[in-house]
Amino acid sequence: MVKLPDVTLIYVLVAFVICYAVLKKHLFRPLSRILDEREADAREAERVYAESREELERAMTEAEQKLSLARREGLKTREGLRAEGIARLEENLQKAREAAARQLDVAAREIESQSKSAAADLPGRARALARTLAEKILGRKIAA
């Protein structure tokens, strides 16, 4: 009996080629396209992230500069107001000192006049008091 050659290897090769063609058309190409798109999207996202980061850094630098400028202006304003307040305080203190000096002068003159009046009145009062004491001690009226 004659044995036919084994053709299963050919069938396997044909099946492999057909399967490869079907898989290539319906799996490998779409999957490759999806992976390529994904990679392109990732690169685009990386580029957008880098641009956003640069924009954020620029905005932060600009905000810090504006904040620094505002801080300097605030300090200048505060120092100006402080100097103005100190000047007003000194002015008010000077006015208060002048008013106090005037009041002291008035009080000193009043005390001086009362002192002179009391000094002038004192000898007469001392005599009257001495007479009153002498009358009480002696128990009788004394002639002037």
Side-chain angles (χ1 to χ4, degrees):
M1 158 155 190
V2 171
K3 207 168 182 191
L4 290 173
D6 195 9
V7 287
T8 55
L9 179 64
I10 293 174
Y11 292 141
V12 169
L13 286 176
V14 169
F16 176 77
V17 170
I18 292 172
C19 284
Y20 178 75
V22 169
L23 287 175
K24 182 176 180 183
K25 181 178 180 182
H26 295 290
L27 178 68
F28 297 145
R29 284 183 186 162
L31 185 61
S32 176
R33 188 177 65 245
I34 289 170
L35 291 175
D36 289 343
E37 288 174 0
R38 191 180 208 182
E39 187 176 321
D41 288 345
R43 280 193 302 267
E44 179 65 19
E46 187 70 31
R47 183 187 63 76
V48 168
Y49 172 74
E51 288 175 0
S52 297
R53 187 173 180 106
E54 288 174 8
E55 182 64 30
L56 176 65
E57 288 176 2
R58 278 193 301 268
M60 289 294 289
T61 302
E62 185 178 321
E64 287 174 359
Q65 290 173 350
K66 287 180 180 179
L67 181 63
S68 176
L69 178 63
R71 187 175 290 132
R72 275 184 268 144
E73 288 176 3
L75 286 173
K76 286 179 185 177
T77 302
R78 184 177 75 181
E79 290 303 318
L81 290 174
R82 181 178 287 164
E84 183 180 327
I86 289 173
R88 284 186 183 178
L89 176 66
E90 289 298 324
E91 181 181 322
N92 289 342
L93 284 174
Q94 185 61 33
K95 287 178 182 177
R97 286 184 188 121
E98 290 171 359
R102 282 192 303 271
Q103 288 178 350
L104 282 175
D105 287 343
V106 168
R109 283 190 297 247
E110 187 177 322
I111 291 171
E112 178 82 25
S113 76
Q114 288 177 359
S115 171
K116 286 181 182 179
S117 172
D121 197 29
L122 188 61
R125 284 182 138 187
R127 280 189 216 126
L129 183 59
R131 174 179 277 155
T132 304
L133 280 175
E135 289 176 352
K136 284 189 179 188
I137 293 174
L138 295 175
R140 63 181 175 101
K141 284 241 179 218
I142 300 178

